[in-house]
């Protein structure tokens, strides 16, 4: 019974704790699993997403002149 109460208290404490952000969690995952080779892939995907988002705005003509 005491173990169940302790587990429940730990669960409640974890649920009320502040959550880590996406970037912090991603870097923690990369550090923990030692898969640093994934970092350039994530950066390229992020740049493509930003380019796609900006391509739909009024900044698009200025982007096209770069290529």
């Amino acid at each position: 019974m005491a173990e169940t109460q302790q587990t429940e208290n730990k669960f409640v404490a974890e649920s009320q704790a502040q959550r880590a952000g996406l970037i912090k969690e991603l870097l923690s995952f990369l550090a923990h699993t030692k898969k640093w080779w994934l970092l350039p892939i994530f950066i390229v995907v992020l740049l493509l997403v930003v380019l796609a988002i900006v391509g739909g705005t009024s900044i698009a003509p200025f982007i096209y002149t770069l290529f």
Side-chain angles (χ1 to χ4, degrees):
M1 177 103 175
E3 185 177 319
T4 306
Q5 185 68 23
Q6 184 180 13
T7 305
E8 184 177 319
N9 289 340
K10 184 178 178 184
F11 178 75
V12 171
E14 287 289 329
S15 69
Q16 293 174 347
Q18 187 172 359
R19 298 178 66 181
L22 179 66
I23 302 296
K24 186 176 181 181
E25 194 168 328
L26 177 65
L27 290 176
S28 173
F29 166 75
L30 292 175
H32 180 70
T33 59
K34 307 266 193 272
K35 294 188 177 186
W36 292 107
W37 56 271
L38 287 173
L39 193 59
I41 297 171
F42 287 133
I43 291 172
V44 168
V45 169
L46 180 67
L47 288 175
L48 288 174
V49 168
V50 169
L51 185 63
I53 291 171
V54 173
T57 64
S58 61
I59 303 172
F62 300 109
I63 294 173
Y64 296 136
T65 59
L66 295 174
F67 298 103

